[in-house]
Amino acid sequence: MSHATDKPAPHPPHRVVVLALDGLLPFELGIPHRIFGKPADAEGRPLYEVVTCSIRPPGPVRTDADFAIMVEHGPETLATADTVVVPASYQLGPVFEQGVLTDELAAAFAHIRPGTRVTAICTGGYVLAAAGYLDGRPAATHWSHAEHFQQLFPRIRVDADVLFIDDGDVLTSAGVAAGIDLCLHIVRRDHGTAVANDVARRTVVPPHRDGGQAQFIERPVPEPQQATTTAARAWAVGRLHEPIQLRDMAEQEAMSVRTFTRRFREETGVSPGQWLTGQRVERARHLLESTSLSVDQVAQDAGFGTAQSMRQHLQTTLGVTPTSYRRTFRQLPSLGGK
């Protein structure tokens, strides 16, 4: 007999199945396990379950390093996935050369249920493209492969500049570390900024790099003795609720506005104005999730000035209104211990 005090049964964790292909990069294979393996609800229950499978029965899978890995699940595991992740591989054979799946890969992908979210890191996008998931869609890949990728799959809109692209149920990223950004983005999309930021802190990586940020930054590591814009960024983050002018930021580094703007873009890949807007959007997300402040108050605290301005920026960036965003994420369980 049910009682009013009975708690609803917890939802099973979202199952992420990582497809390990011969020639895979061990670093990229580990990214989904590291990022999706951390989030938990208020009772400490995992929000995700991560398993690895191959396109063959359980056994060793070659990597691009001097070792193989032992994979305990075969391709049928793909049928149990809520999200499939395809990390990069340097041994894609016909997929990379002709844009077609091998018989083994085609049989493996046949297990994926309709509606499953599919994602790829770096050259894993070639596999999704050959399987038809990217037809007519935008896609990201490593900048060094972008031209070849576009030639091989002309029906795909390849963007060689961005870190990752979220196209709803299909997501793709550039190489290596951009896979971390993509997986953190998925956690943020599923469970909100607070959960994603906690995972980032535990992983000791930046909590958020926007998908539209440039892959290749002209001067990511300053030359010795060269002035940077780091202090100005730290200064601005502590004053997001105040009006901040470009000249104010430049003064923090004792630079002219022109020099500061050039150096800022070299170091971050975006303009100071774009960066400042991104920081304010993140601040607004945090306040909408973690406080009961009114939308007007959040807009003031995040530095947008008016609720209308904030609404426009969130609609452009996230595709939702502040009220819808709060309704979605404030009802989600927080991390254990938070």
Side-chain angles (χ1 to χ4, degrees):
M1 182 175 182
S2 177
H3 299 282
T5 57
D6 290 346
K7 292 183 178 180
H11 292 292
H14 182 101
R15 181 168 249 224
V16 177
V17 177
V18 185
L19 181 60
L21 301 173
D22 284 327
L24 63 86
L25 282 65
F27 178 88
E28 296 191 14
L29 178 68
I31 289 172
H33 291 269
R34 180 68 187 183
I35 302 301
F36 295 118
K38 293 298 180 185
D41 65 16
E43 281 72 45
R45 293 184 294 257
L47 294 173
Y48 298 92
E49 176 190 17
V50 188
V51 297
T52 303
C53 76
S54 74
I55 60 174
R56 295 183 293 274
V61 173
R62 299 189 305 275
T63 73
D64 76 329
D66 62 343
F67 57 85
I69 61 169
M70 183 62 66
V71 177
E72 298 181 356
H73 301 281
E76 66 281 352
T77 305
L78 290 167
T80 69
D82 298 305
T83 294
V84 172
V85 180
V86 184
S89 165
Y90 285 158
Q91 297 179 21
L92 292 176
V95 174
F96 189 81
E97 295 160 4
Q98 294 128 33
V100 297
L101 296 178
T102 63
D103 290 342
E104 280 186 314
L105 260 176
F109 266 74
H111 288 287
I112 299 176
R113 295 171 296 163
T116 300
R117 181 167 61 190
V118 293
T119 71
I121 300 173
C122 193
T123 59
Y126 278 81
V127 179
L128 297 190
Y133 282 94
L134 296 176
D135 286 352
R137 292 179 180 259
T141 191
H142 193 284
W143 60 267
S144 65
H145 294 295
E147 184 177 354
H148 176 257
F149 193 45
Q150 184 66 84
Q151 291 174 349
L152 196 61
F153 302 105
R155 297 179 62 185
I156 298 172
R157 302 192 302 276
V158 180
D159 192 332
D161 297 324
V162 300
L163 294 178
F164 61 83
I165 290 177
D166 179 345
D167 198 39
D169 58 341
V170 180
L171 300 92
T172 51
S173 83
V176 197
I180 298 176
D181 298 305
L182 174 63
C183 291
L184 280 173
H185 169 77
I186 292 172
V187 173
R188 186 179 299 107
R189 196 178 94 171
D190 290 350
H191 298 289
T193 301
V195 175
N197 286 356
D198 186 85
V199 174
R201 283 193 297 270
R202 293 169 183 265
T203 314
V204 197
V205 296
H208 178 65
R209 290 199 298 170
D210 187 79
Q213 181 170 323
Q215 284 188 40
F216 180 77
I217 299 174
E218 183 176 348
R219 196 178 304 168
V221 180
E223 296 294 332
Q225 309 304 316
Q226 182 185 72
T228 74
T229 61
T230 303
R233 279 176 271 154
W235 176 86
V237 166
R239 293 167 174 78
L240 292 176
H241 59 289
E242 302 175 2
I244 298 175
Q245 302 297 324
L246 179 57
R247 65 175 179 273
D248 298 328
M249 296 181 68
E251 286 175 0
Q252 305 308 308
E253 305 290 1
M255 295 181 190
S256 69
V257 169
R258 182 176 181 179
T259 299
F260 177 82
T261 301
R262 175 174 54 81
R263 189 68 51 77
F264 195 100
R265 187 179 286 277
E266 288 172 351
E267 293 180 7
T268 68
V270 295
S271 71
Q274 290 170 321
W275 177 86
L276 195 57
T277 297
Q279 295 298 311
R280 285 179 164 150
V281 167
E282 288 304 299
R283 174 70 175 162
R285 292 170 74 161
H286 171 72
L287 293 173
L288 289 168
E289 291 178 28
S290 62
T291 75
S292 298
L293 293 174
S294 69
V295 171
D296 286 327
Q297 289 172 313
V298 171
Q300 288 287 337
D301 201 349
F304 287 113
T306 67
Q308 178 62 25
S309 175
M310 182 176 73
R311 188 175 296 109
Q312 290 174 347
H313 281 96
L314 262 66
Q315 190 75 50
T316 299
T317 305
L318 308 176
V320 296
T321 65
T323 302
S324 296
Y325 185 86
R326 169 171 274 170
R327 186 183 305 118
T328 299
F329 289 114
R330 284 205 71 201
Q331 296 176 354
L332 290 168
S334 61
L335 285 176
K338 297 293 286 181

